[in-house]
Amino acid sequence: ELDVKRVDPNGTKWNGSAAMRWQSDGSRYKVGLEVGITVLIARVNLLALDSEGSIDDAGIAPQTMREKRRGRSQTATHFNREQRNISFSASEAKVPLLAGAQDKASVPFQLAAIGRADVKQFDGDIDILVGEDKGASVYRFQLAGEEELDTAMGKLQTWRLARPPKPGSYSARLDIWLAPTLGWYPVQIRNTEANGAVTTQTVTRITQLDSTIQ
């Protein structure tokens, strides 16, 4: 579970909560993310992401990601292993499928897997092809440093990875904090948009789930 705080470009502040779910039996996985904010006394769901697939030599290997944003139709992104491409329900585009390619839901967990497997990889740039709703972009993550986060779970030692804006591909900055003592899982995610809006999700509780994949 995560606490969500958003600051709009005009300074308006919003609070909410999110639930992030990771399940894996060693050969398959499922990821889920639901994000909402509180308006007066009601919760408004803003985003739901679901990803499922397998685990291979390159780490997480997505098969399908579904995305539902408030006020928009659900979209699906398909990682077609046999055809070696990524296709999208929201566009006619097809992108070559590269080894290690991820979707928006799975990429924080792929970074966690890299941390567990060989932390020295964070000494250089980490390039990951990420399938989105209508296309795909290469996210370049760089180690921004080690930081102590003050969370509802106490103080956590983390490694902060940053994806700076990339002209022509994406305008937002993405920061992900991984906690080595918690299996390198993401404990904070921040998205800083080009217009100045900032959304931060910070862990409040971690609950172990059954690894059985339905």
Side-chain angles (χ1 to χ4, degrees), residues 167-187:
S169 295
Y170 40 81
S171 58
R173 175 186 173 95
L174 177 64
D175 291 273
I176 299 175
W177 286 257
L178 305 176
T181 59
L182 296 174
W184 289 91
Y185 285 118
V187 292

Side-chain angles (χ1 to χ4, degrees), residues 22-72:
W22 163 263
Q23 288 178 283
S24 174
D25 61 8
S27 61
R28 296 178 299 161
Y29 82 91
K30 281 189 175 182
V31 172
L33 174 65
E34 295 181 359
V35 181
I37 59 172
T38 302
V39 179
L40 297 179
I41 59 173
R43 174 184 166 87
V44 177
N45 293 323
L46 299 180
L47 171 68
L49 290 175
D50 288 287
S51 171
E52 59 184 332
S54 59
I55 307 293
D56 64 16
D57 292 341
I60 297 171
Q63 176 182 344
T64 305
M65 180 196 74
R66 290 170 291 274
E67 178 176 352
K68 179 68 173 72
R69 290 184 178 273
R70 178 174 171 80
R72 302 183 190 177

Side-chain angles (χ1 to χ4, degrees), residues 148-178:
E148 183 179 78
L149 282 186
D150 193 3
T151 76
M153 294 178 59
K155 295 184 183 299
L156 298 175
Q157 297 298 323
T158 67
W159 287 40
R160 180 178 182 175
L161 296 172
R163 185 210 67 181
K166 182 179 180 181
S169 295
Y170 40 81
S171 58
R173 175 186 173 95
L174 177 64
D175 291 273
I176 299 175
W177 286 257
L178 305 176

